[in-house]
Amino acid sequence: MRTVEWNYATSQFQMIDQRLLPGEFKVAVFDDYQEVAQAITDMVVRGAPAIGAAAAFGLALAAQQSAAKDAANLRADLIAASDYLKEARPTAVNLAWALDRILGATADIQGGADDLREAVLAEAQKIADEDVEINKRMAAHGAALIDDGDTVIHHCNTGALATVDWGTALGVIRMAHEQGKNIHVLVDETRPRLQGARLTAWELTQYGVPFDIISDNAAGSFLSSDQVQKAFVGSDRTAANGDVANKIGTYMLALAAHDNDVPFYAVVPTSTIDLSLASGEMIPIEERDPAEVLDLTLLGRQVSPKGASARNPAFDITPNRLVTGIVTENGVVYPPYTDNLRKAVNVTTS
Ligand code: MRU
């Protein structure tokens, strides 16, 4: 199944519960948009494009839940639900992007409340379907950057689970493997929630791509000893100047790659590029529960002394000077990013 999908037989929304993988494969089913928002906050679903699609289907649930009998009242309920869903996580711009796109696309719908309900679900489905198609286009552009015999380093999880299907940076790696290139992946474990060790490793096992999990703090050592040819990461929001917000630890990886002349690529659908923000400094960085750092809850035991405090920023900003290229569905974008990213985005919107 897809990571997130609408069940047309039951008119419910369902997604893979990523908190339980790889130990358990369970599908969580939703009737209530507020529960979808909570599931995004709790990371039942995570990864920027997957969050966007989940919010889109959440809005379709809100339309279904609303008792409004005419389109005007339903629209008011949808705007309130969209505002609510937008609060679920702050960094990934895909969340607001998907909700704004649905409200925009359905603004001029003629007819009654049920016509609007149908149009909201149709647009959410379109966002989901397009995500898969866009990821495959990015994968083709990105795979051309990978040579036979390369070892590639990867951070967090950017695969099918982080999207509706296929993935961004991990989709590039999967495509290179499917093209018959002999590649190896170093999988950053990605503290504190271990998206690399749990989710990326799970996906790569299924695709048959050879990999080794490394602790995040081993990346510099591998990069400085000629054991890595390229780095590929995703992004939760990329500013107009090419600064890349991505999972915490991406910046350190980019620094180490730069110091060792290893090309560093971000794989970013245009829905993740926020041209309204001039630079990465303006991107809101989510700070999550310190317990994620202190407790190693995934292992079921506390590792820090009782009463210890922690900070837990979930993302960091990699400045554009460390980014060799940005792979989009419209091709690979190189510096100067302020001009070239705008052109790549406008291919889609014009
Ligand atoms: O906190 P997460 O797991 O939602 O963070 C996900 C990432 O940082 C990914 O790299 C990012 O969403 C881009 S991948 C599609």
Side-chain angles (χ1 to χ4, degrees), residues 205-227:
T205 302
Q206 293 183 33
Y207 309 148
V209 181
F211 69 90
D212 288 305
I213 299 169
I214 60 167
S215 63
D216 299 326
N217 41 18
S221 169
F222 280 101
L223 284 156
S224 67
S225 52
D226 285 337
Q227 296 187 68

Side-chain angles (χ1 to χ4, degrees), residues 304-325:
S304 312
K306 279 212 180 330
S309 60
R311 295 287 307 275
N312 187 14
F315 301 95
D316 60 25
I317 307 294
T318 299
N320 56 14
R321 68 186 167 80
L322 301 177
V323 181
T324 309

Side-chain angles (χ1 to χ4, degrees), residues 43 45-51 89 92 154-159 162-163 167-169 193 195 199 233-236 245-248 250 267 269 272 286 288 314-315:
M43 295 175 71
V45 63
R46 32 66 50 202
I51 291 171
R89 285 190 82 187
H154 174 272
H155 197 65
C156 197
N157 171 268
T158 66
T163 60
T168 60
R193 291 190 66 105
Q195 288 94 328
L199 307 176
V233 300
S235 173
D236 284 77
N246 192 48
K247 179 50 56 196
I248 193 77
T250 303
V267 184
T272 305
E286 174 182 18
R288 294 186 62 83
F315 301 95

Side-chain angles (χ1 to χ4, degrees), residues 6 19 120 124 128 147 176 187 237 315 344:
W6 188 262
R19 296 168 306 177
V120 168
D147 295 313
V187 175
R237 193 185 302 224
F315 301 95

Side-chain angles (χ1 to χ4, degrees), residues 12-202:
Q12 289 170 312
F13 171 53
Q14 57 195 38
M15 46 191 177
I16 298 170
D17 189 338
Q18 302 192 31
R19 296 168 306 177
L20 306 177
L21 288 170
E24 190 184 344
F25 185 94
K26 190 174 162 208
V27 177
V29 179
F30 297 86
D31 296 301
D32 181 337
Y33 79 89
Q34 293 186 329
E35 286 175 14
V36 173
Q38 192 61 49
I40 292 171
T41 304
D42 294 345
M43 295 175 71
V44 171
V45 63
R46 32 66 50 202
I51 291 171
F57 285 123
L59 199 63
L61 281 181
Q64 202 170 265
Q65 285 171 262
S66 166
K69 296 208 166 24
D70 60 72
N73 280 317
L74 177 54
R75 194 162 173 77
D77 286 348
L78 288 175
I79 290 168
S82 164
D83 290 344
Y84 188 90
L85 284 158
K86 277 181 189 173
E87 295 297 311
R89 285 190 82 187
T91 304
V93 72
N94 302 62
L95 182 58
W97 170 86
L99 294 163
D100 290 342
R101 171 168 154 174
I102 295 179
L103 291 178
T106 57
D108 299 324
I109 291 295
Q110 303 296 314
D114 282 344
D115 298 296
L116 180 52
R117 285 188 180 91
E118 211 174 287
V120 168
L121 176 57
E123 192 64 21
Q125 187 63 55
K126 209 166 149 200
I127 286 172
D129 293 342
E130 279 176 19
D131 181 61
V132 185
E133 185 254 325
I134 281 170
N135 291 339
K136 289 191 174 161
R137 275 163 58 197
M138 285 196 300
H141 293 305
L145 300 166
I146 296 181
D147 295 313
D148 193 40
D150 275 355
T151 290
V152 171
I153 195 163
H154 174 272
H155 197 65
C156 197
N157 171 268
T158 66
L161 291 167
T163 60
V164 176
D165 204 354
W166 192 267
T168 60
L170 205 64
V172 165
I173 290 167
R174 180 177 174 183
M175 181 72 84
H177 170 75
E178 289 195 359
Q179 288 171 347
K181 290 176 186 166
N182 175 26
I183 57 170
H184 190 85
V185 186
L186 287 184
V187 175
D188 281 359
E189 61 174 350
T190 317
R191 279 276 289 149
R193 291 190 66 105
L194 302 180
Q195 288 94 328
R198 295 189 304 113
L199 307 176
T200 298
W202 184 73

